[in-house]
Amino acid sequence: MTSSNEALAQTASSADAASDSTEESGAARGAQGRGTPPSDTSWRSRLYRWDMKASPYAFIAPFFIIFGAFSLVPLLYTAWYSLHNVQLSSLDSQTWAGLKNYTNLFDSEFFWNALGNTFTIGVISTVPQLIVAIWLAHMLNYRLRGSIVWRVVMLTPYATSVAAATLVFVLLFSPDNGMINWALDLVGIDPVNWRESDWGSQLAVSSIVIWRWTGYNALIYLAAMQAIPADLYESAALDGANRWQQFRHVTVPMLRPTILFTVVVSTIGATQLFGEPLLFGGVSGTKGGSQHQYQTLGLYMYDQGWINGNLGKAAAIAWSMFLILLVIAAINLLITRRLRKAQ
Amino acid sequence: MRTARTSRRAMTFAVVAALATGLLAGCASDDGDDSGGAGGSGDKEGATTLTVGTFGTFGYKQAGLYDEYMKLHKNITIKENVTTRTDVYWPKTLTRLQAGSGTDDIQAIEIGNITEAVQTQANKFVDLGKEVDKSQWLDWKNKQATTKDGKLIGLGTDVGPMAICYRKDLFKKAGLPTDRTKLAEMWKGDWAKYVDVGKDYMKKAPSGTKFVDSASSVYNAALGGAKDRYYDKSGNVIWDKSEGVKKSWDASMEVATSNMSAKLKQFDKPWDQGFANAKFATVACPAWMVGYIQEKSGDAGEGKWDIAAAPTAANWGGSFIGVPTASKHQKEAIALAKWLTAPAQQAKVFAKQASFPSTPSAYSTLKPKAETLAYFSDAPLTQIFSDSAKTIPVQIFGIKDQPINTAITDTGILQVEQKGKSPEQGWDAATSEVKDVLGQ
């Protein structure tokens, strides 16, 4: 994983360097390479040169066309919406609102509540998830009987649909006759109202996230671990390092870029958390509980746009989420640079 | 190895086949639509497919109405597209109406959304006023679906006239009268009187029982008969000033703070169990809830339930069906909508589904199931419900009636009832929630 990433980065930078030099010479080099004499008067060679120049763009065009149509246009249109007063029931009559939708959000207790919930649920789902994943990957990295079976099993939760997983968890966490409360009762702990209590409901939602994504992250870690040269471990073992010490001093430092990658991906996922809390909440799921205990930003946006019909405000929430992600990406970039320098 | 390859090949084949069938099916149904649209009244036999978009259970299919209609009209095939949840159904329908495509030939509208449809989508629906004899329907039902310039965009399906379902056995133990006319007399005219009966009940309440299932149900029932709700005639939000809201809120707060409520949330599982275990003595029951009570209370409740008239005539629920102008088969769709909502058909749906008709001429013909009558101590329930239905005031609904109502019951009342907050705190919580709903 790591090595392939670096390889990609290298090819990318060499490609950049190549595009800096004049394109003419590049094309000419290509032409000479095939043994065609460079002659500007020949119609065939002109077509050939044109083909050399244009084909790559034609090959990458589908992605950019689709990206433009389904990502860029909606993104800009959402920005336009967020500056207007738009109701779901009358999409045609939009009135200019300026920044009112945004100032509205900053005054809204529900927005800050949703932001806080997104953060806490993100932390209590991402941190344990990555720690468990790295531990699992470490275990799987040893010679095991039937290792493929273990890996497939680990990926199964990821392949399950959110809806199916959440419905099962709702049953497990049911306050009256759920299995979790029953197990707590066995060890003498009072039952928890997993839907109404603040921490209880957030823990329940994060447990679904943890269950679904741990195996996925473990496999990414495993791939990176297998790229670590075995002789590092051998020499560590010769020096008398036990497994834990090997893990701390060889595996973790070598995994650093991968860990960073999974942290970024998980953070983005956590910011967009939607399906799990929605389905966990049942009939009035978009509210995230009677006191908005587990209403995430995603849920709040959906509630504003599709339940209350305030599309302008929902668009403002969407753009705020986008800006928050940009900030997270910037922080991440800073940390990466720090780490590189430290190395 | 070999098996792996064959199975992969089989898999690929299956996927391709599935995709191809999907595409073909898509094309086929398009063809059908086109030929039907061109032919109008059907120059090809069996060419017209009408789709009916509904949410929840409308009972048309269950009562066999589609089959019956298709037998009467050989050239028509009816398909029903059901979306289970209203909160998913309505936004989807709104966007399709405005896009002018993707709508069904007949589209159902819930009572909570009818004002929004009348005020913002009127030009997307066919005016049905010229197609039917409007006097068939309850006047207040028609008015809800009529625009300012007199256009009728939907035909009334069912209505939800309210009564009080109560347990005779519990009333007897609490030393209260059990006769339905006597009880109706005791609380007649005001929901506050009903709450007073509740106080009497609690003095000698059988152990483990409460007077009513939830404070929200009292709120909904009281508001369902109030003249003003959340909006005034010109469409302004008056939810925090309206007399109806205030009186209903006060009654529900009385219930929430005086220990006479079982503190259940309606339609949650524990509520169902509350019926089975006789946890509460009364519930404000619209006609459609009668079957629900019978199902959830089970055999143990047979003959112990009775029905009395509610303090004031009130309505809870009920829908409309309209024909979008985007429909390619408007003529056929209008005919079908007319037929589905005609008194005879509404009576059939009542027999099957207990959805109460919005056409008074059907009332004399209504035949409740014998088991239902026995279950509710032979109460004259059609009489009670039709009396209520005829005297329900014309209520003004607003664009965001439903979300405002949810904000008040699920946040305001619930916090007072279940978390022990004061009525003032509950009102404040509801206020900020309503502001959020209105995007303020």
Side-chain angles (χ1 to χ4, degrees):
Chain A
M1 187 74 198
T2 331
S3 56
S4 72
N5 264 351
E6 276 165 8
L8 271 177
Q10 273 169 5
T11 24
S13 61
S14 61
D16 280 347
S19 66
D20 281 346
S21 66
T22 51
E23 297 206 0
E24 292 270 333
S25 72
R29 221 178 351 171
Q32 277 163 354
R34 297 276 168 94
T36 335
S39 127
D40 285 86
T41 48
S42 146
W43 177 79
R44 269 191 89 161
S45 89
R46 210 185 293 164
L47 187 71
Y48 185 73
R49 266 167 77 181
W50 186 81
D51 178 38
M52 285 297 290
K53 266 191 198 170
S55 304
Y57 292 103
F59 291 141
I60 57 168
F63 170 78
F64 285 96
I65 291 170
I66 290 171
F67 173 81
F70 293 100
S71 296
L72 197 65
V73 171
L75 190 74
L76 297 176
Y77 206 62
T78 309
W80 172 254
Y81 258 15
S82 75
L83 299 175
H84 287 77
N85 189 1
V86 195
Q87 293 290 316
L88 180 61
S89 51
S90 40
L91 289 171
D92 305 331
S93 62
Q94 312 164 0
T95 51
W96 177 255
L99 289 175
K100 206 178 136 253
N101 282 325
Y102 290 93
T103 53
N104 221 325
L105 279 187
F106 296 123
D107 292 338
S108 156
E109 50 178 310
F110 300 108
F111 175 73
W112 293 110
N113 170 64
L115 188 62
N117 287 344
T118 310
F119 180 75
T120 48
I121 294 178
V123 170
I124 57 180
S125 62
T126 307
V127 174
Q129 170 193 323
L130 295 184
I131 292 174
V132 172
I134 213 166
W135 173 76
L136 271 177
H138 184 63
M139 291 290 130
L140 281 178
N141 202 20
Y142 290 110
R143 272 172 202 283
L144 280 177
R145 220 179 259 269
S147 59
I148 292 186
V149 175
W150 295 112
R151 286 173 203 176
V152 169
V153 168
M154 261 188 0
L155 209 56
T156 324
Y158 172 63
T160 333
S161 83
V162 197
T166 310
L167 289 180
V168 173
F169 273 80
V170 166
L171 288 179
L172 293 180
F173 279 108
S174 158
D176 305 312
N177 42 15
M179 213 161 88
I180 310 259
N181 272 349
W182 171 79
L184 286 181
D185 190 47
L186 284 186
V187 284
I189 300 174
D190 281 342
V192 178
N193 191 339
W194 292 106
R195 221 180 247 184
E196 284 305 312
S197 70
D198 288 4
W199 280 104
S201 56
Q202 296 200 356
L203 275 175
V205 170
S206 3
S207 69
I208 309 169
V209 181
I210 295 172
W211 181 79
R212 276 197 76 221
W213 291 92
T214 304
Y216 170 83
N217 283 308
L219 281 195
I220 292 179
Y221 287 141
L222 183 62
M225 278 178 191
Q226 298 203 325
I228 301 174
D231 39 347
L232 283 180
Y233 288 104
E234 273 168 30
S235 54
L238 281 178
D239 290 342
N242 62 23
R243 283 191 167 178
W244 169 243
Q245 285 166 328
Q246 286 177 20
F247 176 71
R248 263 194 60 194
H249 297 289
V250 180
T251 314
V252 172
M254 295 296 287
L255 280 186
R256 214 174 266 159
T258 317
I259 295 177
L260 216 68
F261 167 77
T262 54
V263 167
V264 174
V265 171
S266 307
T267 313
I268 293 176
T271 314
Q272 296 172 333
L273 188 65
F274 176 73
E276 286 89 346
L278 175 77
L279 294 163
F280 183 74
V283 182
S284 50
T286 54
K287 295 261 180 285
S290 68
Q291 286 183 297
H292 304 251
Q293 311 92 302
Y294 49 91
Q295 187 175 44
T296 59
L297 282 176
L299 278 189
Y300 187 52
M301 177 177 75
Y302 184 78
D303 189 47
Q304 276 300 329
W306 299 101
I307 304 296
N308 299 334
N310 302 319
L311 277 186
K313 200 171 167 188
I317 300 170
W319 258 81
S320 307
M321 281 172 75
F322 180 60
L323 296 177
I324 290 166
L325 280 176
L326 285 186
V327 170
I328 292 173
I331 294 172
N332 176 61
L333 196 73
L334 283 179
I335 298 176
T336 324
R337 283 213 183 130
R338 268 286 151 78
L339 281 178
R340 284 239 175 93
K341 269 182 197 160
Q343 276 178 346
Chain B
M1 191 62 205
R2 194 171 162 201
T3 47
R5 189 180 289 164
T6 16
S7 70
R8 189 194 287 167
R9 210 176 272 168
M11 189 67 183
T12 320
F13 178 74
V15 169
V16 171
L19 283 174
T21 339
L23 283 173
L24 286 175
C27 296
S29 72
D30 276 359
D31 287 353
D33 279 358
D34 287 341
S35 64
S41 53
D43 43 5
K44 251 192 239 169
E45 282 256 311
T48 312
T49 302
L50 292 178
T51 55
V52 183
T54 63
F55 47 87
T57 314
F58 263 64
Y60 292 152
K61 191 180 258 170
Q62 289 77 357
L65 293 189
Y66 296 142
D67 290 340
E68 198 180 329
Y69 194 78
M70 285 189 274
K71 232 175 246 167
L72 292 171
H73 302 81
K74 295 282 182 213
N75 60 331
I76 284 180
T77 318
I78 304 172
K79 261 200 278 178
E80 191 181 55
N81 297 324
V82 188
T83 310
T84 332
R85 284 170 56 170
T86 330
D87 58 344
V88 178
Y89 170 83
W90 186 240
K92 191 171 74 184
T93 307
L94 271 183
T95 42
R96 287 181 179 172
L97 281 172
Q98 292 177 76
S101 72
T103 52
D104 292 311
D105 296 305
I106 290 179
Q107 209 76 66
I109 310 163
E110 221 265 340
I111 187 169
N113 304 121
I114 190 67
T115 313
E116 186 171 10
V118 164
Q119 289 183 7
T120 66
Q121 311 297 322
N123 56 345
K124 309 282 184 193
F125 281 102
V126 174
D127 183 3
L128 296 166
K130 297 165 199 141
E131 312 283 342
V132 295
D133 172 15
K134 281 197 256 185
S135 64
Q136 283 184 85
W137 280 267
L138 289 162
D139 188 42
W140 60 267
K141 184 82 176 170
N142 270 338
K143 278 189 177 142
Q144 286 175 338
T146 308
T147 62
K148 267 185 195 150
D149 45 0
K151 190 175 165 188
L152 184 71
I153 65 159
L155 302 177
T157 59
D158 59 322
V159 288
M162 197 90 72
I164 302 286
C165 294
Y166 67 100
R167 299 215 30 151
K168 270 193 312 192
D169 56 330
L170 298 183
F171 266 57
K172 198 173 179 190
K173 280 186 200 156
L176 288 173
T178 55
D179 180 57
R180 59 182 83 91
T181 45
K182 211 177 253 174
L183 282 171
E185 206 52 50
M186 277 169 81
W187 54 55
K188 191 173 181 178
D190 198 341
W191 287 86
K193 288 191 195 166
Y194 168 73
V195 176
D196 289 339
V197 175
K199 284 179 185 157
D200 285 343
Y201 177 89
M202 291 315 291
K203 278 177 201 152
K204 269 182 70 184
S207 68
T209 70
K210 302 283 181 188
F211 181 62
V212 67
D213 60 327
S214 72
S216 299
S217 88
V218 175
Y219 176 82
N220 279 331
L223 193 66
K227 277 219 166 110
D228 48 353
R229 290 169 61 97
Y230 304 127
Y231 286 80
D232 67 8
K233 267 186 190 158
S234 34
N236 302 315
V237 197
I238 50 153
W239 78 281
D240 50 353
K241 299 180 217 72
S242 116
E243 187 66 24
V245 173
K246 192 177 180 316
K247 277 188 95 172
S248 313
W249 173 265
D250 289 346
S252 77
M253 284 301 111
E254 193 79 38
V255 170
T257 54
S258 61
N259 200 29
M260 68 169 78
S261 149
K263 304 187 179 181
L264 298 166
K265 190 164 184 257
Q266 292 198 319
F267 302 103
D268 261 6
K269 263 251 168 62
W271 190 60
D272 295 351
Q273 290 159 353
F275 278 115
N277 303 329
K279 289 271 186 214
F280 44 85
T282 67
V283 57
C285 55
W288 47 262
M289 202 189 272
V290 166
Y292 193 89
I293 295 175
Q294 195 182 341
E295 184 194 325
K296 297 300 170 188
S297 290
D299 292 342
E302 176 150 14
K304 291 176 180 159
W305 282 96
D306 205 327
I307 298 180
T312 59
N315 180 63
W316 183 2
S319 300
F320 299 83
I321 54 178
V323 177
T325 48
S327 162
K328 287 178 188 158
H329 318 287
Q330 279 181 26
K331 221 170 116 193
E332 291 85 350
I334 292 168
L336 175 61
K338 243 169 102 172
W339 188 81
L340 285 174
T341 53
Q345 274 63 251
Q346 292 207 16
K348 284 177 203 158
V349 177
F350 176 80
K352 179 77 196 167
Q353 200 74 28
S355 303
F356 208 74
S358 55
T359 46
S361 68
Y363 291 168
S364 56
T365 66
L366 292 185
K367 285 191 200 75
K369 285 186 200 155
E371 313 95 79
T372 311
L373 283 177
Y375 201 91
F376 288 92
S377 315
D378 294 314
L381 51 97
T382 49
Q383 187 63 45
I384 293 174
F385 285 126
S386 43
D387 284 351
S388 174
K390 286 176 192 161
T391 48
I392 290 166
V394 182
Q395 287 195 309
I396 301 154
F397 281 77
I399 287 186
K400 289 184 182 173
D401 229 85
Q402 212 166 350
I404 294 178
N405 198 67
T406 316
I408 293 178
T409 55
D410 289 14
T411 304
I413 297 177
L414 207 70
Q415 286 191 13
V416 177
E417 194 178 24
Q418 301 205 344
K419 303 211 161 162
K421 297 204 171 164
S422 73
E424 291 74 32
Q425 283 171 324
W427 184 256
D428 288 345
T431 305
S432 48
E433 195 86 25
V434 172
K435 279 189 176 159
D436 191 52
V437 165
L438 298 172
Q440 287 174 348

